[in-house]
């Protein structure tokens, strides 16, 4: 399938590792030029160098904290200066779960910090980039939310808040931006084998006297994941790349799960 993405330009937030890096690579494999955002300069540069070397697309890095309005605006200005227009925005940046205590006991500054990164960061980025997004039907906003937005995962109160807020913003803006012919969709990953999740599975397995694979098999069974495994970062990136393309021009305001069937809510007896 020809996705028609060659020569388009994308901004990917949280692109220095994990799902964001895989999305950046997936887009670059289709010939999309990139502006990659994250805070940590070293990892960001490493990610950019790897992608550039493997694909030959233009890759620009802008160290950016999504919590800072001025920094997000500056990143959008840099993207415009480099590429004139930005067809694709992927809002992926999100922080890890800060600590394991019940989140209702956290100080509100910590709740606010989580929301500031993911929900407010998304809104800031969209607002800053809209003036340079094309209105010819090639504009795409793709929000990476997560299953914590529609199910109860312990220690994920603010993550759930962010993900459900993101899904709402997706549907709201699909309507609001319709005159600009920009589509807005959510991709909702389930349990995905990112670098930090690998570390989590290894630690949890060790604590329970299990191999990592045994722990994962038990977790997928206990969570009721019909595909009986976790997903790869590329499986998320492939869906995002499709949504970014002309082939997905009639997909708008959608919430697409990439979770091995987790949300069909199976019960194991
Ligand atoms: N992994 C999963 O199983 C899973 C499941 C469902 C949903 N998700 C969602 O998918 C997205 C990516 O998750 P991931 O697991 O790939 O995360 P990750 O590996 O921890 O990567 C997060 C990325 O976001 C960046 N980031 C964090 N805070 C930031 C800030 N304040 N400003 C700018 N960038 C920031 C990080 O770089 P710096 O720290 O250097 O800034 C990094 O590039 C998140 O929104 C997450 O909620 C993940």
């Amino acid at each position: 399938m020809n996705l028609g993405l060659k020569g388009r330009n994308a901004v990917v937030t949280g692109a220095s590792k994990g799902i964001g890096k895989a999305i950046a690579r997936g887009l670059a494999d289709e010939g999309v030029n990139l502006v990659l955002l994250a805070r940590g300069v070293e990892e960001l540069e490493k990610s950019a160098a790897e992608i550039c070397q493997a694909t030959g697309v233009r890759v620009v890095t802008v160290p950016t904290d999504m919590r800072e309005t001025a920094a997000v605006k500056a990143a959008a200005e840099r993207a415009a200066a480099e590429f004139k227009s930005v067809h694709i925005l992927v809002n992926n940046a999100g922080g890890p779960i800060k600590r394991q205590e019940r989140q209702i006991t956290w100080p509100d500054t910590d709740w606010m910090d989580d929301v500031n990164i993911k929900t407010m960061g998304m809104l800031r980025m969209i607002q800053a980039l809209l003036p340079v997004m094309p209105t010819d039907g090639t504009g795409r906003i793709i929000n990476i939310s997560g299953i914590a937005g529609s199910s109860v995962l312990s220690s994920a109160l603010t993550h759930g808040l962010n993900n459900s807020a993101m899904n709402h913003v997706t549907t709201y803006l699909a309507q609001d931006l319709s005159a600009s012919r920009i589509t807005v969709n959510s991709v909702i990953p389930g349990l995905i084998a990112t670098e930090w999740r690998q570390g989590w599975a290894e630690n949890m397995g060790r604590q329970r006297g299990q191999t990592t694979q045994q722990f994962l098999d038990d977790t997928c069974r206990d969570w009721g994941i019909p595909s009986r495994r976790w997903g790869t970062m590329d499986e998320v990136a492939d869906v995002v790349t499709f949504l970014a393309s002309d082939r997905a021009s009639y997909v708008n305001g959608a919430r697409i799960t990439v979770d091995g069937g987790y949300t069909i809510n199976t019960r194991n007896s």
Side-chain angles (χ1 to χ4, degrees):
M1 188 187 283
N2 178 8
L3 295 178
L5 281 168
K6 196 168 169 41
R8 301 248 166 103
N9 307 316
V11 169
V12 182
T13 74
S16 60
K17 56 188 167 187
I19 292 170
K21 181 179 172 185
I23 290 169
R25 174 62 195 266
L27 291 169
D29 280 339
E30 296 299 321
V32 176
N33 301 308
L34 297 168
V35 179
L36 305 184
L37 272 48
R39 291 166 306 171
V41 178
E42 207 174 304
E43 268 184 310
L44 190 60
E45 293 295 345
K46 195 164 159 263
S47 167
E50 272 176 42
I51 293 169
C52 189
Q53 195 175 17
T55 65
V57 300
R58 278 184 68 198
V59 185
V60 174
T61 56
V62 190
T64 306
D65 189 331
M66 300 306 295
R67 295 172 293 190
E68 292 172 12
T69 304
V72 172
K73 280 188 178 156
E77 280 163 17
R78 176 77 192 283
E82 293 283 346
F83 293 125
K84 287 202 175 74
S85 67
V86 173
H87 306 82
I88 303 153
L89 165 61
V90 182
N91 287 303
N92 166 79
I97 291 170
K98 289 187 170 63
R99 49 175 193 266
Q100 293 298 316
E101 303 103 279
R102 291 170 65 219
Q103 285 197 341
I104 195 61
T105 66
W106 287 15
D108 70 2
T109 45
D110 282 354
W111 296 333
M112 294 289 284
D113 193 56
D114 277 356
V115 172
N116 203 6
I117 297 169
K118 191 160 175 173
T119 301
M120 298 303 293
M122 162 192 61
L123 291 174
R124 286 185 189 106
M125 197 72 244
I126 293 170
Q127 186 184 64
L129 269 187
L130 272 181
V132 294
M133 291 192 75
T135 56
D136 61 357
T138 58
R140 301 278 183 271
I141 295 173
I142 301 162
N143 294 323
I144 310 303
S145 63
I147 51 172
S150 58
S151 61
V152 177
L153 296 176
S154 65
S155 311
L157 174 61
T158 46
H159 281 62
L161 195 62
N162 275 324
N163 293 335
S164 46
M166 252 190 161
N167 292 339
H168 178 69
V169 168
T170 289
T171 46
Y172 184 95
L173 288 183
Q175 164 62 19
D176 189 84
L177 299 181
S178 59
S180 307
R181 301 181 61 205
I182 295 169
T183 66
V184 190
N185 292 293
S186 280
V187 170
I188 308 178
L191 184 63
I192 304 298
T194 54
E195 297 91 339
W196 75 263
R197 276 272 185 215
Q198 286 279 357
W200 164 80
E202 283 162 21
N203 277 337
M204 292 300 290
R206 211 174 298 120
Q207 278 175 33
R208 294 184 187 183
Q210 293 179 311
T211 64
T212 305
Q213 193 55 51
Q214 283 166 338
F215 168 74
L216 282 171
D217 290 345
D218 284 1
T219 301
C220 293
R221 185 199 59 223
D222 296 346
W223 285 30
I225 300 174
S227 294
R228 294 169 177 238
R229 62 173 177 84
W230 60 4
T232 67
M233 294 184 272
D234 287 346
E235 286 172 320
V236 180
D238 286 346
V239 174
V240 173
T241 303
F242 170 72
L243 285 174
S245 77
D246 288 347
R247 308 306 288 256
S249 48
Y250 202 55
V251 183
N252 198 5
R255 301 170 181 190
I256 299 176
T257 51
V258 185
D259 66 359
Y262 168 84
T263 32
I264 67 171
N265 198 20
T266 53
R267 288 284 178 267
N268 297 298
S269 50

